[in-house]
């Protein structure tokens, strides 16, 4: 990619995360010369879009960089002629997320926005919208890359790979956050740490940790087993059992707590909800209200520190690092979501996986794993990937049979009667966003 005047379109530009992205674009502007930045949103998000855009303009002015920033409620206008399109949207906004968390809890199931029944509901709403964006890109920016940050990121990436012709890479901040936390545990610069990750989004394992080229995986896992765990903002921080970590032989990601500590996590979430009547979505609403109050202040010209409470650590680092590496044909290694193509041998070739990739001008190229995945990893991975395949079919075709089977086999549901009941509640609560199901009889 040799263009010197890059256009980036941000779909979901009114998100509270956008100042994080702006910060990254400004930080790396010499290497990633964005000249046109278009923030797009929907009518319901117009007020937030205007507030975020005003802050972004102040940030740009403070930096002295030559970036023309525009806003629009016309997604096609934003996409036309773009070099990169990023997606950070939430269909139904935080009200829908609140239901994604509360509906499962009403059935004594874990309610979480990216996995289990909650993640399933979000996927049903999200996949059709993302594919509509892809169709716009095929028409208006056929050579652009879609950089998808929208959750469930791996499942969405797989839907794009299977149902569109555009170039896409799925992205999550969890891999880079993990690397940063490991580096902090060792008290070294992140550049001295290499981690091998394998799996799918929010269900990946760190299978190797290298420090200055030396394999320190075993000693690292012992450190982890001593209670020094890795955490993220939106997952309860329960300590890993040392014997379990030793027997697993790999570092589970934070979201694995929902699978490996299912009963404890459910008890924690249910107890919090019963005590407060609030879920993480309600907490995020409060955080966002505080953030937008800050964003409105004309004296604010940089990303406020309070944004850290929203989660999404290293979002700008991950997003801009990926785009600038594609732009520069850099050939560095990053952990992203791509088509499997035989790298993880126990999964279908057309599945989306989250692994170490070489980033070139034509996209992300997955690296071969040092060893096949062990049975203790393979079993859970195959099960959740099957859930994702069925969920994509349900989202694209409005297939209730696929939807019921997806929920039934998911480890956080795992019961046909429960799956049928929670599916009925999800379809009813989200009817306005799920027209693909309207014409079909259960």
């Amino acid at each position: 990619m040799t263009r010197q005047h890059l256009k980036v379109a941000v779909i979901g530009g009114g998100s509270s995360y956008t100042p994080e992205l702006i910060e990254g674009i400004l930080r790396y502007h010499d290497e990633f010369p964005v000249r046109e930045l278009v923030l797009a949103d929907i009518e319901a998000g117009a007020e937030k879009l205007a507030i975020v855009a005003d802050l972004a303009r102040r940030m740009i002015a403070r930096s002295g960089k030559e970036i023309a920033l525009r806003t629009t409620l016309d997604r096609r206008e934003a996409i036309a002629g773009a070099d990169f399109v990023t997606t950070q949207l939430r269909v139904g906004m935080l009200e829908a997320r609140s239901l994604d968390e509360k509906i499962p809890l009403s059935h004594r199931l874990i309610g979480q926005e990216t996995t289990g029944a909650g993640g399933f509901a979000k996927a049903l709403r999200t996949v059709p919208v993302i594919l509509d964006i892809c169709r716009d890109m095929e028409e208006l920016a056929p050579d652009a890359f879609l950089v998808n940050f929208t959750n469930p990121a791996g499942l969405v990436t797989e839907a794009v790979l299977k149902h569109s012709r555009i170039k896409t890479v799925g992205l999550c901040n969890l891999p880079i956050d993990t690397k940063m936390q490991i580096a902090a545990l060792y008290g070294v610069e992140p550049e001295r740490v290499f981690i091998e990750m394998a799996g799918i989004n929010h269900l990946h394992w760190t299978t190797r940790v290298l420090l200055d080229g030396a394999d320190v995986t075993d000693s690292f896992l012992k450190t982890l087993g001593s209670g020094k765990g890795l955490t993220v903002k939106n997952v309860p921080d329960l300590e890993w059992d040392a014997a379990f970590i030793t027997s697993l032989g790999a570092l589970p990601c934070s979201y694995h707590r929902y699978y490996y500590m299912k009963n404890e996590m459910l008890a924690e979430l249910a107890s919090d909800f019963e005590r407060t009547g609030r879920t993480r979505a309600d907490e995020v609403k409060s955080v966002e209200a505080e953030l937008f109050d800050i964003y409105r202040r004309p004296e604010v010209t940089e990303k406020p520190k309070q944004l850290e409470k929203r989660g999404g650590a290293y979002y700008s680092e991950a997003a801009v690092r990926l785009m600038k590496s594609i732009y520069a044909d850099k050939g560095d290694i990053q952990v992203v979501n791509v088509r499997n193509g035989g790298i993880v041998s126990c999964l279908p070739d057309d599945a989306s996986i989250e692994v170490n990739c070489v980033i070139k001008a034509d996209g992300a190229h997955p690296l071969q794993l040092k060893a096949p995945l062990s049975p203790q990893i393979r079993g859970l991975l195959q099960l959740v990937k099957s859930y994702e395949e069925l969920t994509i079919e349900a989202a694209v075709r409005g297939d209730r049979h696929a939807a019921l089977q997806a929920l039934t086999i998911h480890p956080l549901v795992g019961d046909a009667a429960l799956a049928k009941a929670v599916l009925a509640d999800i379809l009813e609560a989200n009817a306005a966003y799920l027209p693909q199901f309207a014409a079909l009889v259960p």
Side-chain angles (χ1 to χ4, degrees):
M1 187 177 288
T2 58
R3 288 184 58 176
Q4 296 299 307
H5 300 284
L6 296 173
K7 176 180 178 180
V8 175
V10 182
I11 310 300
S15 166
S16 59
Y17 283 124
T18 298
E20 176 88 15
L21 181 63
I22 301 297
E23 181 185 67
I25 288 173
L26 295 175
R27 184 190 311 131
Y28 293 111
H29 195 255
D30 291 344
E31 302 168 71
F32 186 58
V34 177
R35 291 293 181 266
E36 185 178 1
L37 182 62
V38 186
L39 308 182
D41 219 306
I42 59 174
E43 184 67 44
E47 182 182 2
K48 286 184 175 181
L49 177 63
I51 294 168
V52 167
D54 284 346
L55 171 57
R57 290 188 181 98
R58 296 195 300 270
M59 293 172 70
I60 292 169
R62 182 174 184 262
S63 74
K65 306 296 184 183
E66 293 185 14
I67 302 175
L69 185 144
R70 293 189 294 110
T71 64
T72 181
L73 301 181
D74 182 347
R75 185 179 73 205
R76 289 171 59 83
E77 176 190 340
I79 289 171
D83 297 288
F84 293 92
V85 176
T86 72
T87 48
Q88 52 182 38
L89 54 93
R90 184 184 299 280
V91 180
M93 296 184 284
L94 284 172
E95 288 73 19
R97 173 177 175 173
S98 181
L99 289 173
D100 291 346
E101 294 168 346
K102 290 171 182 173
I103 288 173
L105 283 172
S106 73
H107 293 271
R108 299 297 299 174
L109 298 172
I110 285 173
Q112 210 279 330
E113 67 157 337
T114 64
T115 189
F120 169 83
K122 189 176 195 303
L124 293 189
R125 295 191 306 271
T126 304
V127 166
V129 174
I130 294 289
L131 293 181
D132 280 346
I133 292 169
C134 292
R135 284 186 277 273
D136 286 345
M137 290 179 65
E138 288 170 353
E139 176 188 351
L140 302 168
D143 295 324
F145 273 91
L146 174 67
V147 177
N148 176 64
F149 232 104
T150 298
N151 279 322
L155 188 154
V156 168
T157 298
E158 184 166 325
V160 172
L161 291 169
K162 288 179 172 178
H163 296 281
S164 84
R165 300 188 304 274
I166 66 162
K167 297 177 289 187
T168 187
V169 181
L171 196 59
C172 179
N173 62 312
L174 190 55
I176 191 171
D177 191 16
T178 299
K179 180 176 179 177
M180 294 295 190
Q181 290 193 58
I182 290 174
L185 281 174
Y186 282 101
V188 301
E189 294 299 313
E191 294 74 22
R192 295 175 58 187
V193 174
F194 174 84
I195 57 175
E196 179 185 77
M197 284 188 170
I200 58 180
N201 181 238
H202 288 185
L203 194 78
H204 64 243
W205 292 258
T206 298
T207 50
R208 283 197 299 154
V209 178
L210 275 62
L211 178 60
D212 295 331
D215 193 323
V216 295
T217 308
D218 289 343
S219 63
F220 168 72
L221 292 177
K222 288 177 183 176
T223 299
L224 189 73
S226 70
K228 297 180 180 178
L230 309 186
T231 64
V232 294
K233 290 285 186 184
N234 56 335
V235 177
D237 182 21
L238 302 184
E239 287 190 5
W240 294 110
D241 177 78
F244 173 77
I245 293 297
T246 298
S247 65
L248 181 62
L251 166 66
C253 78
S254 296
Y255 288 84
H256 275 100
R257 289 179 171 90
Y258 293 111
Y259 300 91
Y260 294 145
M261 305 180 188
K262 183 169 66 173
N263 293 336
E264 294 169 89
M265 292 291 277
L266 175 57
E268 179 104 354
L269 293 171
S271 174
D272 286 348
F273 181 61
E274 289 166 6
R275 187 180 72 255
T276 66
R278 292 162 59 89
T279 65
R280 172 66 180 169
D282 301 308
E283 294 173 12
V284 169
K285 286 181 186 179
S286 298
V287 171
E288 288 215 336
E290 178 185 359
L291 284 171
F292 277 93
D293 282 344
I294 296 170
Y295 293 173
R296 286 184 179 93
R297 300 173 191 170
E299 70 273 17
V300 176
T301 59
E302 59 185 357
K303 180 194 76 177
K305 187 171 180 59
Q306 289 89 335
L307 185 53
E308 294 175 9
K309 293 191 291 185
R310 180 66 178 85
Y314 304 109
Y315 164 44
S316 66
E317 183 75 21
V320 181
R321 183 171 165 234
L322 174 61
M323 290 189 287
K324 74 183 181 71
S325 291
I326 293 172
Y327 169 73
D329 193 25
K330 194 166 183 181
D332 59 341
I333 296 174
Q334 301 178 34
V335 179
V336 294
N337 291 267
V338 293
R339 185 179 184 276
N340 181 21
I343 295 298
V344 178
S345 59
C346 63
L347 297 183
D349 283 353
D350 61 354
S352 167
I353 58 172
E354 190 166 77
V355 293
N356 298 67
C357 295
V358 176
I359 311 300
K360 301 285 288 179
D362 58 350
H365 302 270
L367 292 172
Q368 189 64 53
L369 302 178
K370 185 177 182 182
L373 296 179
S374 63
Q376 53 266 47
I377 291 176
R378 188 171 68 236
L380 179 58
L381 178 61
Q382 288 177 311
L383 184 57
V384 177
K385 176 51 68 178
S386 295
Y387 150 81
E388 290 192 347
E389 292 180 83
L390 287 164
T391 301
I392 291 168
E393 283 300 299
V396 171
R397 310 191 192 287
D399 186 333
R400 291 176 186 245
H401 297 305
L404 178 58
Q405 288 299 317
L407 283 173
T408 300
I409 68 171
H410 196 289
L412 302 187
V413 180
D415 178 272
L418 264 177
K420 186 176 181 180
V422 77
L423 175 60
D425 285 355
I426 287 170
L427 295 182
E428 180 180 359
N430 291 275
Y433 305 109
L434 303 178
Q436 68 269 44
F437 289 91
L440 297 179
V441 177

